[in-house]
Amino acid sequence: MSRFWKNILWAIVTLLFIAFLFSLFAEPAKAPTTLNLNQLVDKINAGQVTQIKVNGNDLAVAMKDGSQAVAEKETESGISETLKNLNVSSTALAGVDLEVQNQTGWDYWMSLLLPTILPLLLLAAIFWFMFRSAKSGANQAFNFGRSNLRLSTFKDRVTFKDVAGLKEAKEELIEVVDFLKNPKKFLDLGARIPRGILLMGPPGTGKTLVARAVAGESNVPFFYISASEFVEMFVGVGASRTRDAFMTAKRAAPSILFIDEIDAVGRQRGAGMGGGNDEREQTLNQILVEMDGFDRDTRVIVLAATNRPDILDPALMRPGRFDRRVVLDLPDLNDRESILKIHAEGKVLDKGIDLRKVAQRTPGFSGADLANLMNEGALIAARENQKLIRQEDLFNAADKVLLGPERKSRMISQKEKEMTAYHEGGHALVAVALKDADPIQKVSIISRGYAGGFTMKLPTEDRHLKTRTQFLADLAMMMGGYASEKLIFGDVSTGASSDLKQASELARQLVTKYGMSDLGPITFGKSEDMIFLGREMTSERDYSEEVASEIDAQVHDFLMNAYETAEKILKTHKPVLKKIAEALIEKETLEQDDFYAVVKPFRIKPI
Ligand code: ADP
Ligand code: MG
Ligand code: ZN
């Protein structure tokens, strides 16, 4: 027998069983006897009636013996009146529970319709649920033209107090918010309210943060969208999303619309890297159209952020669009200190901790790097079960953010350790012996990330200009590791490869970019920033073959001279090199003070 029939059989058996159970428990419905009014009166007088339910003209009579009966009264008069007219004694009537059920028309109809309607309602509900779950899937398909505009409901409110440095950006934005709030002041003077402000700067410098601070401070609706969402998932929706976003913002005016990472759509049109992206172009066009469509007094300001201003379409920058540009630079020493202070809040720091010292060793760190550093510091302290975050933890965290985690587990042989010690010692010693080199902050032979060891030289204050002599000192220092290996072991290792790469790049720049070679004050080739323009994949060469070989010769000279300088220094001060290497092998890491304590006694005269 097939399973199907078996199942059917089981279902029938079950149903029969249930029916049987019901018949056991359900009282057999006795058909009530029908009484005329006279019979009813007799029964009442005989005291056989306990209860009469009156329902319109219908009387439901309950007897003492438990049986039921029905009767009908006259329409014109009430029940007690009727009974009294028929000579029911009032004492007998007192023993009867009279209950008048006042059935309204509504109740009546409901009792009639409910049994029919209820199943229908149930069916409708089932259908509704089915449709709803089907629709939520379909919704995403039907709704994709709508932008994912989020009204600024960032979880934690950010204010300008949470943003360190970035003074120009803050000032500009405060002024713009003022435009939104008191437009009259500006319009009366005939000024046009700025349409767009473009925040540009390297990643992690706080572009999103400062925009959020505007949202937190300005008390106008703040809409946020990431440009990559414009072109998400489906093609052909970017433009409609853009329209939608601008419409929402305009409806809520005065308001701010923040388009983060605008380079995702604002890339130069027709750049054609890997084929033109029509979708992106249409989205960009729509943004341009929308911004042009603003009336003179539309009180919507469009903020946008990018870390690639170089690839943005020039049309975006035209007056009336993103006509204001704010550059967010990497923080300088003071700003780094205050960023560290902001992110130190809520962390348990050791009392004597000096955040300025941390700031001093972190040039080139972005705000995000510094935030990360503070967090890493706390993690390091926690890993060692400390109650407080100490200065060393922060220094350690800085190295970690810069170079990657320490790789203590990596086994190095004694020979490798020695080689690394002399290599790093070479860098450090050259730095000490050159007047124009930056001081050493830290030397270490602990492997971190990809680096076998590292020597950190750091300017105590940020510099914006660098001279040729300083570059030459840098080059010599880069060569120090290589020269030291060669001098001590008569051999060189792969440990010097990144030094050499860095040195070669720097030397080429000195020739082609800074005009610091014998070829004179000329730059060669389009600067490499242009590579990012997306117009061309390789930098363009604007010089002849002969010049190219002259450049190569100059680069070679720079490198050889640097190597010779380093070699000479190391040869003259070989005992110092030996001392530094020994100290490194013993302690693995020398902080600034420890390092200078090793070299001081030798009284090296910098050249
Ligand atoms: P991006 O410029 O890439 O948009 P973000 O604004 O996202 O950078 O910054 C990342 C994080 O770095 C911020 O959330 C904040 O914690 C920290 N940060 C960056 N700049 C600053 C600053 N100037 N002051 C305080 N914190 C900052
Ligand atoms: Mg950002
Ligand atoms: Zn090196």
Side-chain angles (χ1 to χ4, degrees):
M1 207 169 17
S2 77
R3 250 181 75 185
F4 174 73
W5 290 110
K6 229 179 188 168
N7 282 345
I8 294 275
L9 196 75
W10 265 114
I12 292 172
V13 170
T14 316
L15 279 176
L16 281 177
F17 182 68
I18 291 172
F20 172 68
L21 276 184
F22 263 98
S23 70
L24 271 190
F25 289 109
E27 266 178 72
K30 274 190 221 144
T33 39
T34 313
L35 304 171
N36 62 35
L37 277 176
N38 286 331
Q39 286 170 323
L40 178 62
V41 169
D42 288 347
K43 298 236 176 204
I44 292 173
N45 284 338
Q48 286 176 358
V49 174
T50 54
Q51 191 192 37
I52 300 175
K53 277 187 188 161
V54 185
N55 197 337
N57 284 340
D58 294 330
L59 308 178
V61 184
M63 303 296 188
K64 245 197 192 118
D65 61 5
S67 64
Q68 304 275 335
V70 291
E72 207 161 290
K73 77 170 175 64
E74 290 143 7
T75 320
E76 303 83 45
S77 46
I79 175 73
S80 32
E81 214 178 320
T82 312
L83 292 177
K84 271 188 194 128
N85 289 344
L86 291 169
N87 292 326
V88 173
S89 70
S90 40
T91 40
L93 197 57
V96 177
D97 179 11
L98 268 183
E99 193 177 309
V100 180
Q101 286 180 335
N102 208 351
Q103 197 176 34
T104 62
W106 166 252
D107 282 344
Y108 175 72
W109 284 110
M110 278 317 277
S111 70
L112 212 69
L113 290 180
L114 219 56
T116 11
I117 284 183
L118 213 60
L120 281 177
L121 280 178
L122 214 74
L123 267 179
I126 290 172
F127 269 104
W128 183 69
F129 271 112
M130 271 164 57
F131 267 115
R132 207 177 59 154
S133 55
K135 230 174 87 185
S136 72
N139 243 352
Q140 267 147 34
F142 290 130
N143 230 5
F144 59 70
R146 302 185 58 78
S147 60
N148 299 337
L149 263 209
R150 270 162 280 164
L151 196 59
S152 98
T153 39
F154 296 116
K155 257 189 226 103
D156 31 338
R157 181 164 176 263
V158 176
T159 61
F160 282 131
K161 257 200 246 102
D162 301 312
V163 184
L166 304 181
K167 206 158 143 262
E168 294 89 359
K170 280 199 240 175
E171 272 168 11
E172 190 85 1
L173 291 170
I174 288 170
E175 191 190 291
V176 163
V177 170
D178 193 33
F179 270 126
L180 281 183
K181 286 183 174 162
N182 313 305
K184 200 169 172 310
K185 185 167 99 188
F186 300 95
L187 289 174
D188 283 353
L189 286 170
R192 194 173 43 79
I193 294 177
R195 290 275 162 270
I197 299 165
L198 187 61
L199 304 171
M200 40 200 216
T205 41
K207 297 179 294 295
T208 309
L209 184 76
V210 85
R212 286 178 57 177
V214 171
E217 297 262 347
S218 62
N219 296 321
V220 297
F222 185 93
F223 299 97
Y224 165 82
I225 190 167
S226 177
S228 54
E229 289 170 17
F230 278 138
V231 283
E232 198 181 67
M233 263 196 331
F234 297 99
V235 268
V237 300
S240 67
R241 279 198 173 172
T242 311
R243 213 174 305 127
D244 203 58
F246 277 84
M247 212 150 67
T248 315
K250 269 190 226 170
R251 225 178 281 136
S255 63
I256 298 173
L257 172 62
F258 176 43
I259 307 176
D260 207 356
E261 323 269 344
I262 197 174
D263 39 295
V265 293
R267 198 178 280 266
Q268 198 138 39
R269 285 167 296 180
M273 282 232 268
N277 184 340
D278 276 350
E279 169 68 1
R280 204 192 288 128
E281 283 191 15
Q282 281 169 16
T283 308
L284 173 58
N285 281 336
Q286 192 62 40
I287 292 180
L288 299 179
V289 167
E290 292 289 345
M291 292 192 77
D292 284 343
F294 282 175
D295 296 327
R296 202 177 73 102
D297 50 359
T298 305
R299 290 199 282 156
V300 175
I301 287 184
V302 186
L303 274 185
T306 177
N307 42 35
R308 302 291 305 280
D310 48 333
I311 63 164
L312 286 188
D313 198 287
L316 271 175
M317 315 283 203
R318 234 192 44 193
R321 292 166 185 163
F322 290 102
D323 42 7
R324 290 206 171 191
R325 266 148 278 165
V326 183
V327 178
L328 286 80
D329 269 325
L330 287 174
D332 63 11
L333 179 61
N334 288 326
D335 289 347
R336 284 200 302 274
E337 191 183 351
S338 41
I339 292 175
L340 285 170
K341 267 191 197 134
I342 284 178
H343 290 281
E345 233 157 72
K347 299 205 168 60
V348 191
L349 298 185
D350 198 4
K351 271 208 197 69
I353 227 161
D354 187 355
L355 290 177
R356 189 166 187 87
K357 281 212 184 107
V358 182
Q360 271 164 355
R361 349 175 124 210
T362 47
F365 274 47
S366 69
D369 289 334
L370 293 168
N372 190 10
L373 183 160
M374 285 309 288
N375 193 48
E376 284 294 343
L379 290 180
I380 289 171
R383 201 172 301 141
E384 279 158 26
N385 293 321
Q386 290 158 203
K387 292 271 179 295
L388 299 164
I389 303 169
R390 295 164 309 163
Q391 185 93 52
E392 293 137 77
D393 300 330
L394 294 183
F395 287 165
N396 227 330
D399 296 346
K400 189 173 173 189
V401 171
L402 194 66
L403 299 163
E406 283 186 359
R407 289 181 18 203
K408 282 196 174 134
S409 61
R410 194 169 86 158
M411 291 291 289
I412 26 175
S413 63
Q414 187 60 28
K415 171 88 186 162
E416 245 178 61
K417 200 169 171 181
E418 241 172 69
M419 210 148 187
T420 313
Y422 274 100
H423 177 107
E424 298 304 333
H427 286 306
L429 180 54
V430 172
V432 173
L434 287 177
K435 213 168 38 231
D436 295 295
D438 299 316
I440 296 295
Q441 289 268 0
K442 186 175 189 170
V443 193
S444 172
I445 57 166
I446 293 177
S447 144
R448 261 183 198 281
Y450 291 114
F454 59 94
T455 302
M456 231 164 24
K457 44 132 202 169
L458 289 175
T460 34
E461 66 227 68
D462 296 48
R463 266 201 300 244
H464 297 291
L465 296 176
K466 223 170 160 169
T467 64
R468 185 173 183 272
T469 32
Q470 283 164 345
F471 276 129
L472 293 185
D474 277 356
L475 276 180
M477 201 190 139
M478 287 174 196
M479 287 294 181
Y482 179 92
S484 176
E485 286 183 26
K486 200 155 183 197
L487 178 70
I488 303 296
F489 303 99
D491 196 3
V492 288
S493 74
T494 52
S497 81
S498 72
D499 292 337
L500 299 183
K501 182 161 174 266
Q502 225 186 333
S504 307
E505 272 163 22
L506 177 57
R508 190 160 292 274
Q509 283 186 349
L510 294 187
V511 182
T512 61
K513 198 170 167 189
Y514 303 130
M516 290 178 176
S517 72
D518 294 343
L519 295 183
I522 307 176
T523 66
F524 298 99
K526 298 237 168 100
S527 84
E528 54 246 50
D529 306 340
M530 298 281 276
I531 297 173
F532 298 120
L533 275 175
R535 288 206 200 98
E536 52 211 350
M537 289 295 283
T538 52
S539 66
E540 221 170 276
R541 228 177 68 177
D542 57 358
Y543 44 84
S544 64
E545 287 296 332
E546 292 91 78
V547 175
S549 65
E550 275 179 60
I551 291 173
D552 290 342
Q554 289 291 324
V555 171
H556 183 257
D557 276 1
F558 269 128
L559 294 174
M560 287 317 285
N561 284 338
Y563 171 68
E564 276 157 23
T565 311
E567 193 186 32
K568 205 175 97 205
I569 290 169
L570 297 180
K571 263 188 186 148
T572 357
H573 303 291
K574 206 166 167 181
V576 192
L577 178 61
K578 202 157 168 260
K579 251 302 186 304
I580 298 172
E582 277 164 9
L584 275 174
I585 290 167
E586 191 200 336
K587 293 188 186 154
E588 300 202 331
T589 300
L590 295 176
E591 290 290 339
Q592 185 171 21
D593 298 344
D594 305 333
F595 172 74
Y596 282 100
V598 175
V599 293
K600 259 267 159 57
F602 294 94
R603 295 174 196 284
I604 296 171
K605 262 230 191 78
I607 47 171

